[in-house]
């Protein structure tokens, strides 16, 4: 009887132990499930946050694309300033954004009240991620649009980007929202200028019809265009870092002396130019005529006054204030009285020492005091309020009705100036900016700027100019060439380095070569001044027919983001 009771007790104890084990197992498994669920939730939250951040990045990239590519491309088709001016006079910055900041087939910004919004569909995501995002760009005016000068229009904006990431694998779905704190940018629209080209030619040959070859000594770090065709020799040949365009469908290749025309960017392994951003052939002709004329610049220099009948150097004024620029009058065709101009960065500003005939004047432009001092060597000195920046105050304008037989010197850090002549301009020595970066060569971040413009003649580098000459500025000869005197005589003179661009009717030779070796003159090293693609141009520099747009760089600023939760 006791044995049976012992068996019953043992059974009860076993059942208790099993029950406890099952309970402990259940608790353990429940904990495991809970931990797994918690881990999954944490993973879903992180995925949702990552998707949200991806949407914010998409929104940032899309806004830059809309402004810097789409709007810029649409603006380039505008020919009349009134089309843009209407948005300024109507205080309609958002309408301007809606009407131009989109590409064909894309949705436009939606304008309601004081906001323009654009909601983006998510990009294709990895199939392993079960989720998506939505991103919304919101743009508002940051003040009223303005027309600060001439055909220049300014649109200020502020913007935010909000994105929500959603993981659909989770039930219920897990969402996280990211909001980029407000950023700002300003958009400028103005008529495009020829200054944007590192090289532009209407005819890519010498005036006599001689072919000018691009060789390994030819380098351009900016946009290059001809309304004709380019000619390339040797491997390697020219190196051009930006877009290259020509009107003709075929380029000319040296082909070891047996020239050939090819619709190609190289000639086998014989002639191989280097194009960092491609070579487009069959491009539309760009008209070299400008909306800024020779008469316009002459009037800016004269300040609305009648031209004197006496030769000399004039700074038009009303007795107290400068009213124009600097005007040089000489006897056209009589080279004995051609003018010389030497530029110097002086202690009190930009100094121009100008000689015409028997007269020399030292003109000091003091930007700190806003005054111009005119000293006649051997005569008196006068000081005027203001600077010789023409009627429209774009920058210093020097205009000669004749040849300028010598131009050289330094452009002071605060100076923007265009030296213009009706006939030839001869560069006799280095012309450099006071402020620039020597290696790699550029003037980014600085304001000194020079334009050299010969309306009816050539811009020439003198045969007595130094070896390895440096010229900082944008050179233009719409009816002539940029060339080197006696380029085919004497020993090689190294490299002519241009920080800027050259816009000419025909292509001017700089030197000669035999095979791959220079035999005379200079090799070219044309370094593009990238400021020209971001709105800079020498004062009163000739314009193209179309408009261009550019932002102030605010779109590149890194914005702070907020995690706004679900």
């Amino acid at each position: 009887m006791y044995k049976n009771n012992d068996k019953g007790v043992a059974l009860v104890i076993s059942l208790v132990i099993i029950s406890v084990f099952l309970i402990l197992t259940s608790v353990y498994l429940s904990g495991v499930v809970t931990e797994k669920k918690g881990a999954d939730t944490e993973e879903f939250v992180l995925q949702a946050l990552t998707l949200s951040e991806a949407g914010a990045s998409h929104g940032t990239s899309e806004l830059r694309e809309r402004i810097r590519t789409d709007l810029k491309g649409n603006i380039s088709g505008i020919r009349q300033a009134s089309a843009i001016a209407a948005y300024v006079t109507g205080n309609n910055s958002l309408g301007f954004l809606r009407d131009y900041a989109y590409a064909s087939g894309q949705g436009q910004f939606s304008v309601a009240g004081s906001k323009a919004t654009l909601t983006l569909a998510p990009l294709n995501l990895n199939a392993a991620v079960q989720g998506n995002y939505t991103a919304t760009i919101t743009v508002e005016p940051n003040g009223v649009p303005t027309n600060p000068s001439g055909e220049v229009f300014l649109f200020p904006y502020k913007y935010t980007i909000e994105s929500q990431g959603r993981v659909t694998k989770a039930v219920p779905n897990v969402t996280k929202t990211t909001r980029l704190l407000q950023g700002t940018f300003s958009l400028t629209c103005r008529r495009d200028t020829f200054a944007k080209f590192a090289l532009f030619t209407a005819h890519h040959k010498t005036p006599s019809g001689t072919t000018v070859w691009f060789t390994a000594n030819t380098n351009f770090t900016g946009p290059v265009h001809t309304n004709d065709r380019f000619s390339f020799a040797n491997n390697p040949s020219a190196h051009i870092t930006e877009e290259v365009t020509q009107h003709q469908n075929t380029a000319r290749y040296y082909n070891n002396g047996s020239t050939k025309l090819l619709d190609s960017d190289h000639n086998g392994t014989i002639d191989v130019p280097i194009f960092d951003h491609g070579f487009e052939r069959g491009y539309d002709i760009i008209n070299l005529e400008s909306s800024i004329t020779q008469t316009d610049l002459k009037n800016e220099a004269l300040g609305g006054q009648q031209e004197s009948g006496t030769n000399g150097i004039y700074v038009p004024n009303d007795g107290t204030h400068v009213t124009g620029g600097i005007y040089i009058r000489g006897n056209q065709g009589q080279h004995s009285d051609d003018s010389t101009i030497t530029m110097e960065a002086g202690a009190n500003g930009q100094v121009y020492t100008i000689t015409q005939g028997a007269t020399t004047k030292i003109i000091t432009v003091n930007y700190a005091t806003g005054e111009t001092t005119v000293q006649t060597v051997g005569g008196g000195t006068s000081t005027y309020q203001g600077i010789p920046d023409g009627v429209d105050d774009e920058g210093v304008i020097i205009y000669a009705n004749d040849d300028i037989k010598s131009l050289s010197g330094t452009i002071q850090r605060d100076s923007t100036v265009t030296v213009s002549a009706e006939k030839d301009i001869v560069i006799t020595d280095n012309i450099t900016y006071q402020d620039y970066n020597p290696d790699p060569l550029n003037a980014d971040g600085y304001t000194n700027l020079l334009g050299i413009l010969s309306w009816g003649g050539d811009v020439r580098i003198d045969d007595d100019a130094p070896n390895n000459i440096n010229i900082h500025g944008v050179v233009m000869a719409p009816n002539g060439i940029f060339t080197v005197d006696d380029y085919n005589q004497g020993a090689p003179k190294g490299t002519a380095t241009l920080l800027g661009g050259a816009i000419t009717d025909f292509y001017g030779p700089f030197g000669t070569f035999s095979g791959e070796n220079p035999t005379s003159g200079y090799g070219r090293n044309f370094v593009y001044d990238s400021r020209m693609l971001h709105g800079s141009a020498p004062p009163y520099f000739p314009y193209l027919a179309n408009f261009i747009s550019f932002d102030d760089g605010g779109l590149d600023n890194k914005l702070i983001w907020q995690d706004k939760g679900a």
Side-chain angles (χ1 to χ4, degrees):
M1 178 174 136
Y2 291 107
K3 290 182 178 180
N4 289 336
N5 288 339
D6 290 342
K7 291 180 179 179
V9 170
L11 179 60
V12 170
I13 293 172
S14 297
L15 291 173
V16 169
I17 292 172
I18 291 172
S19 297
V20 171
F21 177 77
L22 290 174
I23 291 172
L24 292 174
T25 300
S26 177
V27 170
Y28 171 76
L29 292 175
S30 177
V32 170
V33 170
T34 301
E35 288 181 8
K36 176 64 167 62
K37 185 175 181 181
D40 287 345
T41 300
E42 183 177 350
E43 179 183 357
F44 294 148
V45 168
L46 290 174
Q47 288 180 349
L49 183 59
T50 300
L51 287 169
S52 179
E53 292 176 0
S57 296
H58 182 188
T60 303
S61 297
E62 181 70 17
L63 182 57
R64 291 173 183 159
E65 181 75 10
R66 293 276 178 139
I67 298 300
R68 293 175 175 173
T69 301
D70 301 336
L71 186 143
K72 183 177 181 180
N74 290 330
I75 288 298
S76 68
I78 294 178
R79 295 294 183 269
Q80 299 299 322
S82 57
I84 303 175
Y87 293 95
V88 175
T89 56
N91 190 19
N92 191 14
S93 297
L94 299 183
F96 182 69
L97 193 72
R98 175 197 60 214
D99 295 344
Y100 291 101
Y102 73 99
S104 177
Q106 286 185 329
Q108 295 172 252
F109 277 89
S110 176
V111 176
S114 62
K115 295 182 178 181
T117 58
L118 180 68
T119 299
L120 307 177
L123 300 173
N124 291 330
L125 302 174
N126 190 322
V129 179
Q130 296 184 24
N132 52 42
Y133 63 80
T134 57
T136 300
I137 305 169
T138 301
V139 182
E140 302 175 69
N142 192 28
V144 297
T146 58
N147 177 204
S149 66
E151 296 180 325
V152 179
F153 307 95
L154 181 65
F155 297 88
Y157 296 100
K158 55 186 177 182
Y159 69 98
T160 56
I161 297 173
E162 189 165 303
S163 174
Q164 185 178 78
R166 178 179 292 105
V167 175
T168 56
K169 183 177 181 179
V171 181
N173 293 170
V174 175
T175 61
K176 294 292 287 183
T177 301
T178 295
R179 183 175 187 269
L180 292 177
L181 297 184
Q182 190 175 90
T184 63
F185 68 95
S186 292
L187 183 65
T188 299
C189 298
R190 63 159 173 77
R191 203 171 289 278
D192 204 356
T193 78
F194 283 99
K196 75 175 185 179
F197 290 105
L199 175 72
F200 176 101
T201 59
H203 307 89
H204 200 71
K205 56 179 71 74
T206 67
S208 63
T210 301
T211 298
V212 180
W213 297 95
F214 281 175
T215 70
N217 288 327
T218 307
N219 298 285
F220 296 100
T221 57
V224 174
H225 174 83
T226 183
N227 288 336
D228 198 343
R229 65 164 50 89
F230 290 118
S231 301
F232 303 98
N234 305 327
N235 181 11
S237 181
H239 181 195
I240 307 175
T241 65
E242 299 297 331
E243 183 184 43
V244 183
T245 53
Q246 69 169 41
H247 177 62
Q248 297 291 348
N249 291 319
T250 58
R252 181 182 289 107
Y253 292 96
Y254 190 60
N255 197 40
N256 291 328
S258 300
T259 62
K260 62 167 57 176
L261 301 179
L262 295 174
D263 186 5
S264 175
D265 62 2
H266 66 288
N267 173 32
T269 60
I270 300 173
D271 304 300
V272 185
I274 302 170
F275 303 111
D276 289 357
H277 283 81
F279 177 26
E280 182 175 352
R281 299 168 296 284
Y283 198 85
D284 290 342
I285 286 179
I286 298 175
N287 195 335
L288 194 52
E289 292 182 5
S290 168
S291 58
I292 291 287
T293 66
Q294 176 180 326
T295 301
D296 292 331
L297 262 69
K298 185 174 183 178
N299 290 337
E300 292 286 347
L302 287 170
Q305 298 182 7
Q306 290 294 319
E307 180 181 4
S308 172
T310 304
N311 293 342
I313 304 159
Y314 298 91
V315 180
N317 63 86
D318 60 9
T320 303
H321 299 86
V322 177
T323 59
I326 300 172
Y327 184 75
I328 308 170
R329 188 183 191 279
N331 291 310
Q332 291 188 352
Q334 297 182 20
H335 295 302
S336 60
D337 69 347
D338 289 346
S339 59
T340 67
I341 302 174
T342 302
M343 302 172 288
E344 179 185 357
N348 295 318
Q350 179 74 62
V351 180
Y352 303 98
T353 300
I354 304 176
T355 298
Q356 189 282 317
T359 301
T360 297
K361 291 188 178 183
I362 301 172
I363 302 169
T364 302
V365 180
N366 191 324
Y367 288 92
T369 63
E371 295 177 325
T372 298
T373 299
V374 182
Q375 174 190 355
T376 302
V377 175
T381 299
S382 300
T383 299
Y384 305 98
Q385 296 297 311
I387 61 176
D389 56 3
V391 177
D392 293 328
D393 306 322
E394 284 191 20
V396 171
I397 175 68
I398 300 175
Y399 186 97
N401 78 331
D402 201 358
D403 295 273
I404 297 174
K405 67 180 180 181
S406 176
L407 178 66
S408 62
T410 302
I411 307 302
Q412 190 255 357
R413 60 172 48 90
D414 297 316
S415 298
T416 60
V417 57
T418 291
V419 177
S420 175
E422 293 184 11
K423 295 186 177 297
D424 287 2
I425 298 176
V426 182
I427 298 170
T428 54
D429 207 336
N430 293 306
I431 300 175
T432 58
Y433 295 137
Q434 180 181 17
D435 289 340
Y436 68 98
N437 302 308
D439 189 19
L441 181 61
N442 67 79
D444 296 349
Y446 299 116
T447 57
N448 33 205
L449 185 57
L450 172 66
I452 302 172
L453 174 57
S454 168
W455 285 104
D458 303 326
V459 177
R460 299 158 29 213
I461 299 176
D462 189 70
D463 54 3
D464 288 330
N467 291 350
N468 298 313
I469 191 170
N470 290 281
I471 301 169
H472 297 174
V474 183
V475 176
M476 186 169 183
N479 295 291
I481 58 176
F482 180 31
T483 190
V484 174
D485 287 344
D486 298 329
Y487 71 91
N488 58 353
Q489 298 179 26
K493 301 186 68 173
T495 301
T497 295
L498 176 71
L499 173 56
I503 303 97
T504 59
D505 186 8
F506 285 85
Y507 193 84
F510 269 46
T512 60
F513 70 96
S514 176
E516 298 183 2
N517 299 313
T519 54
S520 66
Y522 295 98
R524 283 179 174 85
N525 180 33
F526 283 16
V527 179
Y528 184 61
D529 190 340
S530 61
R531 296 178 298 172
M532 301 305 107
L533 282 182
H534 298 91
S536 294
Y540 306 106
F541 213 72
Y543 295 123
L544 290 160
N546 62 287
F547 277 77
I548 189 172
S549 65
F550 49 90
D551 66 88
D552 62 352
L555 292 171
D556 294 321
N557 293 336
K558 186 175 182 179
L559 302 185
I560 299 173
W561 62 273
Q562 289 179 323
D563 176 5
K564 295 187 66 178

